[in-house]
Amino acid sequence: MSTIAETRIEADPTVPVIRMRREFNATPEQLFRAHTDPNLFALWVGPNGMQTRIEQWDARSGGSWRYVSTRDGQRYAFHGCFHDVRPDRIVQTFTFEGQPDGVALETLWFEDLGNGRALLRSQSLVDSFEDRDAWLASGMEVGVNEGYAKLEEMVVDGTV
């Protein structure tokens, strides 16, 4: 059984932070694996129709990552560093190379809800309110929801 949920995305009014929450029919271990295994990550990240190629991936504390996503002739590259990687939490930086001066500090938490369900919470601290609002206006909600729907399907079909 699969319950397709929407991701709740909130902008903090007092600091330039975006917070997201979504429940999955998955264990925290499955969510952690989907976020640290480069082959799995490339399959679900981003909106439908986007192809992702991992160019660098070292998902351990102190490691780094870089991937390039393409769709309809458009190319979007991202990179960052894994600050802290452990089964219940990932702390990393995130930069969209189209805006190379912007660096977000992201934390993801994987929480067990019991009965094979988990809560994924994340927080992204960006450089300014203007950057945060630009992210929110960019259509990120579609990419997040479509990506997480793919992840949910991968859990159901046993890929993760």
Side-chain angles (χ1 to χ4, degrees):
M1 180 175 120
S2 175
T3 302
I4 303 299
E6 292 291 315
T7 306
R8 186 170 49 181
I9 301 173
E10 299 173 345
D12 189 306
T14 60
V15 290
V17 164
I18 299 170
R19 292 189 179 94
M20 297 190 286
R21 301 173 59 94
R22 183 178 176 122
E23 291 184 18
F24 286 87
N25 289 314
T27 65
E29 294 80 12
Q30 288 172 306
L31 294 181
F32 177 76
R33 188 169 162 243
H35 283 82
T36 55
D37 181 314
N39 297 320
L40 296 176
F41 184 82
L43 292 174
W44 66 263
V45 71
N48 295 337
M50 186 79 73
Q51 301 296 314
T52 297
R53 183 182 71 247
I54 304 294
E55 295 194 339
Q56 163 69 27
W57 197 268
D58 184 7
R60 61 186 170 99
S61 298
S64 63
W65 58 269
R66 183 175 192 273
Y67 66 87
V68 177
S69 297
T70 57
R71 181 174 64 185
D72 300 329
Q74 298 292 313
R75 181 179 175 278
Y76 309 93
F78 307 88
H79 71 268
C81 296
F82 291 105
H83 178 76
D84 188 29
V85 177
R86 59 186 206 208
D88 65 330
R89 183 182 87 154
I90 297 173
V91 179
Q92 64 185 6
T93 59
F94 177 95
T95 295
F96 168 50
E97 294 181 5
Q99 298 174 328
D101 292 338
V103 179
L105 178 62
E106 297 184 335
T107 304
L108 299 93
W109 294 271
F110 310 102
E111 299 176 17
D112 190 358
L113 298 175
N115 298 319
R117 294 188 52 78
L119 173 66
L120 171 61
R121 291 187 303 118
S122 67
Q123 173 175 289
S124 298
L125 173 64
V126 300
D127 294 330
S128 68
F129 287 101
E130 291 78 18
D131 286 353
R132 181 201 65 195
D133 294 344
W135 280 33
L136 292 169
S138 71
M140 70 171 273
E141 183 176 353
V142 172
V144 166
N145 278 312
E146 290 181 356
Y148 284 158
K150 287 185 280 185
L151 173 55
E152 184 92 36
E153 291 171 14
M154 290 169 59
V155 170
V156 170
D157 73 14
T159 303
V160 178

